[in-house]
């Protein structure tokens, strides 16, 4: 869980039309805006030019293995939950050239790639996603070795969080203590309120820069009533979580159940398609690919997102270590909910629900955890019987 | 929003771009066996110390082909040239077998944990290697022999498939001739002209009498071999924290970022490759971890 870094000072409000002012202010400060927009029947994250690019009046209906866009009765800008993309797409690019090398008179000369990091303003970051970014910060910035590309992009990024007032069918941030309200890790946090004829934002800043930007849009204090309305909306959302995950002793539960019948059961359904890892905002695995051009004189190494669900992932000469789908699903889930804590001192899951929604066969991590827990209890029961 | 840094874990700035290899040149190429060769490498720029600890590895890059994790098999007190012994098993290791003196090769590292050479001072040392597993243990032998008086008895047990697979034959002979070191070699199968032991490496341990409280064991070889050897040592009353093994998994980065080398809660590239046996006993007992 994130701890607040900056005291949230005060809340201000601005009318919905002024959202465009925020966009303009950020653009004037040389930010490339990225955020939600409709692509191929889903709300994806991509470059934004103006508020017209936002999914105005759209929402998403989600369930295990199911995602559908639906129109809303209002003109909410942020009236959806999360889609197949996550912000890691911008901070930790899916494909990246690490360096190029060429042969000069038979000598290898290596040149690191030194592209200028883009300056992104992330628009519409959900609370669970702030936590996912904080988790990736731990991975890429706080270990013995850091990722310079992530670091440069991350330090430049301006984060506009949006509190969740709509929840999805596969969300479980309340269980993971990662939402629905953004508490820290943002420059600005907005709550979108639509109340009859009134459509406005309640805003707060989480950094000095955020406060500066906000001051350029509005100085209008939020009334007690407006603040209460925003708060009520979030509290209502927190009660409507689509899923729940009981995290009590989850670390011990998974380590204790390295061998349990449920892994076979899930392996019977899992297609090892890698979707769950690609959509997950915290999954960080990557591979490197070495290539040469046709002349054989120029070589390049690129980095690509990778997934523990592939056979290649664990390949060593003689064969893959994790040959069975069972062992791969076990690796993924045990990593998320247990090993991650050993490695980075945090859960690897923020409860965004993406892996549930985008699994073609609807495998649900909360359901699997429940089943393992149920099996675990019966194990204890059988042990107790044996002992007597 | 600036990321919050944890002051306790300050990022290592010295290695600025750990994913970019440094260019080295092949100084010497020695064929060890039909499928294994040793490369001696010197930095092309002539700079840098390239210090390493026994048990650490480098990521070696063959231009245009790819990288492989290879242990450093030379003497840590003489890190220049860098010495690597490589067995041809696939594309990268095969391409490297065709390198010639003067050719260039990329090096990233050294990475990973090391053998308990210092911790073992004052103890008997039992080194057990299978196949190419002798390469990562050779630095230990160099260090122990360099300060021979600091250690008790020293044993080397080494097993390969056939006599033709034995590495470092000249050195094995020299070590065997010493009075202060016991060297036992075995092969899985041999023709009639082999006069040594035949059988898996554990057969060599049968007669071994250990001072279990004052012994440190270091094992490197196939997982199954390490398990059986460790089981025998445990039967001889060695405690798990005195037994060390070196693990192997697919590796793409060597710096804890690609996720490939995960082994239970750990990353082999940074928490390993050398582990105490209590860290891995549970994991080694399970398949497909
Ligand atoms: C810490 C460590 C130390 C090692 N030390 C040595 C050594 O001193 N000498 C030596 O000959 N070998 C050593 N190996 C094994 C060596 O890394 C592999 O044999 C080598 O990666 C095979 O690459 P390839 O492209 O020739 O084989 P391919 O079969 O073509 O490999 C394809 C890919 O699979 C992966 N891979 C295949 N086999 C292994 C393996 N055994 N371990 C890790 N990744 C693998 C690599 O990513 C490789 O790029 C070590 C491995 C590790 C993890
Ligand atoms: S494991 Fe699933 S629910 Fe958890 S953060 Fe990843 S995608 Fe979201
Ligand atoms: S759990 Fe679902 S999304 Fe993940 S690899 Fe299996 S089938 Fe694909
Ligand atoms: S080799 Fe990449 S994490 Fe260990």
């Amino acid at each position: 869980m994130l701890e607040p870094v900056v005291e949230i000072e005060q809340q201000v409000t601005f009318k919905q039309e002024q959202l465009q002012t925020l966009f303009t202010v950020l653009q004037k400060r040389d930010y490339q805006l990225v955020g939600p927009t409709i692509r191929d029947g889903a709300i994806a994250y991509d470059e934004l030019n103006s508020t017209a690019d936002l999914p105005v009046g759209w929402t998403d209906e989600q369930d295990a293995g199911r995602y559908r866009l639906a129109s809303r009765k209002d003109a909410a800008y942020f009236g959806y939950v999360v889609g197949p993309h996550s912000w890691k797409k911008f901070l930790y690019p899916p494909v990246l050239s690490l360096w190029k090398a060429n042969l000069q008179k038979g000598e290898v000369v290596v040149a690191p790639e030194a592209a200028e990091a883009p300056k992104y303003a992330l628009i519409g970051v959900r609370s669970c996603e702030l936590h996912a970014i904080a988790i990736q910060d731990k991975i890429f910035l706080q270990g013995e070795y850091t990722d310079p590309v992530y670091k440069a992009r991350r330090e430049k990024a301006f984060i506009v969080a949006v509190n969740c007032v709509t929840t999805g069918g596969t969300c479980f941030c309340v269980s993971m203590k990662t939402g629905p309200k953004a508490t820290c890790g943002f420059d600005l946090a907005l709550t979108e309120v639509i109340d009859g004829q009134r459509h406005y934002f309640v805003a707060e800043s989480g950094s000095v820069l955020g406060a500066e930007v906000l001051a350029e849009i509005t100085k209008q204090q939020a009334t007690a009533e407006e603040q209460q309305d925003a708060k009520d909306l979030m509290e209502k959302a927190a009660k409507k979580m689509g899923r729940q995950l009981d995290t009590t002793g989850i670390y011990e539960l998974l380590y204790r159940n390295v061998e349990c019948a449920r892994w076979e059961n899930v392996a019977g359904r899992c297609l090892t398609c890698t979707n769950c890892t690609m959509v997950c905002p915290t999954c960080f695995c990557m591979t490197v690919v070495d290539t040469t051009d046709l002349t054989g004189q120029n070589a390049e190494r690129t980095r690509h997102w990778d997934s523990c669900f592939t056979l290649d992932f664990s390949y060593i000469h003689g064969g893959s270590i994790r040959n069975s789908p069972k062992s791969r699903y076990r690796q993924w889930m045990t990593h998320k909910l247990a090993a991650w804590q050993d490695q980075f001192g945090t859960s690897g899951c923020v409860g965004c629900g993406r892996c549930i929604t985008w699994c073609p066969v609807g495998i649900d991590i909360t359901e699997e955890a429940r089943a393992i827990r149920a099996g675990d209890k019966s194990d204890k029961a059988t042990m107790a019987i044996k002992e007597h | 929003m600036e990321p919050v840094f944890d002051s306790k874990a300050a990022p290592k700035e010295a290695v600025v771009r750990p994913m970019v290899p440094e260019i080295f040149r092949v100084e010497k190429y020695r064929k060890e066996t039909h499928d294994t060769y040793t490369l001696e490498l010197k930095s092309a720029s002539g700079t840098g110390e390239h210090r390493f600890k026994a048990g650490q590895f480098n990521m070696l890059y063959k231009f245009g082909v790819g990288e492989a994790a290879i242990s450093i098999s030379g003497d840590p007190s003489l890190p220049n040239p860098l010495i690597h012994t490589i067995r041809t098993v696939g594309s990268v290791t095969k391409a490297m077998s065709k390198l010639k003196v003067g050719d260039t090769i990329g090096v990233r590292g050294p990475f990973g944990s090391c053998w308990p050479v210092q911790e073992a001072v004052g103890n008997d040392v039992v080194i057990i290697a299978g196949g190419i597993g002798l390469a990562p243990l050779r630095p230990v032998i160099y260090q122990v022999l360099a300060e021979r008086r600091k250690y008790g008895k020293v044993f080397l047990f080494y097993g390969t498939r056939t006599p033709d697979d034995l590495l470092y034959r000249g050195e094995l002979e020299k070590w065997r001739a010493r009075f202060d070191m016991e060297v036992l070699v075995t092969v899985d199968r041999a023709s009639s002209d082999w006069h040594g032991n035949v059988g898996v490496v554990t057969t060599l341990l049968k007669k071994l009498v250990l001072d279990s409280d004052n012994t440190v064991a270091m094992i490197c070889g196939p997982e199954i071999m390490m398990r059986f050897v460790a089981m025998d040592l445990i039967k001889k009353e060695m405690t798990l924290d005195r037994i060390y093994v070196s693990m192997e998994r697919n590796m793409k980065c060597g710096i804890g970022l690609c996720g490939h080398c995960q082994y239970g809660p750990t990353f082999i590239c940074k928490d390993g490759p050398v582990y105490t046996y209590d860290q891995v006993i549970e994991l080694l007992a399970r398949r497909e971890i």
Side-chain angles (χ1 to χ4, degrees), chain A residues 132 170 172 176 276 279-283 332 336 348-356 365:
Chain A
T170 56
F172 56 104
M176 304 314 287
C276 50
V279 295
C280 178
T282 66
C283 274
W332 178 72
K336 283 278 151 212
C349 173
V350 297
C352 73
R354 285 182 177 87
C355 57
I356 307 172
I365 188 170

Side-chain angles (χ1 to χ4, degrees), chain B residues 26-245:
Chain B
V26 179
E27 285 273 303
K28 266 192 197 149
Y29 180 108
R30 192 170 44 253
K31 199 166 158 55
E32 299 283 355
T33 70
H34 59 102
D35 65 356
T36 306
Y37 52 97
T38 296
L39 301 177
E40 293 194 9
L41 310 172
K42 275 216 163 116
S43 169
S45 64
T47 57
E49 282 213 50
H50 308 103
R51 288 191 171 279
F52 71 95
K53 295 190 187 119
Q56 288 194 300
F57 66 95
N58 280 319
M59 297 296 287
L60 299 187
Y61 169 68
K62 171 72 178 76
F63 182 79
V65 184
E67 267 189 334
I70 306 290
S71 306
I72 310 171
S73 63
D75 184 342
S77 68
L78 301 166
N80 206 358
L82 263 177
I83 301 179
H84 287 284
T85 300
I86 308 168
R87 188 157 82 96
T88 302
V89 297
S91 54
V92 175
T93 46
K94 180 158 188 203
M96 283 179 188
S97 74
K98 302 204 171 105
L99 285 167
K100 290 185 195 66
V101 170
D103 284 352
T104 48
I105 184 169
V107 178
R108 297 193 293 121
F111 300 124
S113 62
C114 58
W115 295 109
V117 179
Q118 288 316 312
E119 293 85 334
V121 167
N123 287 268
D124 293 350
V125 178
V126 179
I127 297 166
I128 306 162
I132 187 79
L134 184 57
L137 281 165
R138 191 169 66 164
V140 177
I141 301 174
Y142 289 143
Q143 282 190 301
V144 168
L145 293 183
E147 298 193 285
R148 184 63 192 84
R149 271 170 305 139
K150 288 192 178 173
Y151 299 89
K153 291 185 201 153
V154 177
F155 300 90
L156 169 64
F157 300 104
Y158 181 36
T160 59
R161 273 172 299 173
T162 73
D164 291 340
D165 296 310
L166 289 170
L167 292 179
Y168 314 137
R169 290 195 119 178
E171 282 182 299
L172 277 175
E173 287 310 321
K174 269 192 236 157
W175 294 331
R176 212 209 303 252
R178 293 178 70 122
F179 295 109
D180 58 0
M181 177 178 187
E182 189 162 344
V183 178
L184 285 174
V185 174
T186 184
V187 296
D188 294 348
R189 59 195 143 77
S191 52
S192 53
D193 53 354
W194 170 255
H195 302 296
N197 300 297
V198 177
V200 292
V201 79
T202 43
T203 54
L204 298 178
L205 302 177
K206 283 206 182 101
K207 280 178 254 152
L208 174 69
V209 180
L210 281 178
D211 176 6
S212 58
D213 292 339
N214 294 297
T215 298
V216 172
M218 308 181 209
I219 319 169
C220 187
E223 264 180 41
I224 179 91
M225 166 263 184
M226 294 196 289
R227 266 184 72 197
F228 280 111
V229 168
M231 258 154 49
D232 278 4
L233 296 177
I234 294 163
K235 273 190 214 134
K236 291 179 195 288
E237 296 186 348
M238 276 194 71
T239 51
L240 303 185
D241 58 331
R242 292 184 157 270
I243 303 172
Y244 290 76
V245 294

Side-chain angles (χ1 to χ4, degrees), chain A residues 270-276 309 329 355 358-361 363:
Chain A
C270 177
L271 313 171
T272 65
C273 70
T274 78
N275 268 12
C276 50
F309 279 91
Y329 190 87
C355 57
W358 296 96
C359 175
V361 293
I363 292 171

Side-chain angles (χ1 to χ4, degrees), chain A residues 99 107-108 142 144 146 154 157 186-187 255 259 285-286 292 301 306 313 315 323-324 330 335 342-343, chain B residues 1 4 9 11-12 19 21 25 61 63-64 66-67 104 250 257-258 260 262 265 267 286-289:
Chain A
W99 46 260
E107 302 286 290
V108 179
Q142 293 169 21
E144 189 181 356
T146 56
R154 180 69 178 88
F186 53 80
D187 292 288
Y255 278 150
E259 309 287 355
C285 287
M286 56 96 164
T292 41
R301 171 168 303 161
D306 201 3
F313 190 86
Y315 179 81
N323 206 30
S324 69
R330 175 178 70 186
H335 187 212
D342 290 306
Q343 295 167 353
Chain B
M1 182 72 216
V4 190
K12 186 187 264 184
M19 287 304 279
R25 202 179 296 286
Y61 169 68
F63 182 79
E67 267 189 334
T104 48
N250 186 304
L257 295 180
C258 76
H260 279 252
Q262 282 180 80
F267 292 94
R286 314 269 180 210
R287 294 186 55 231
E288 299 191 293
I289 288 285

Side-chain angles (χ1 to χ4, degrees), chain A residues 100-142:
Chain A
K100 292 195 171 84
N102 56 55
L103 286 176
Q104 294 173 8
K105 299 196 199 96
E107 302 286 290
V108 179
V109 180
V110 181
E113 282 293 280
E116 174 83 23
K119 191 175 163 187
Y120 287 124
L122 315 182
I123 309 290
V125 182
R126 302 298 183 177
S127 181
C128 63
E129 300 182 308
L130 293 173
H131 285 262
I133 293 171
I135 289 172
Q136 290 213 322
D137 284 353
K138 286 203 165 129
I139 298 164
F140 294 127
L141 303 177
Q142 293 169 21

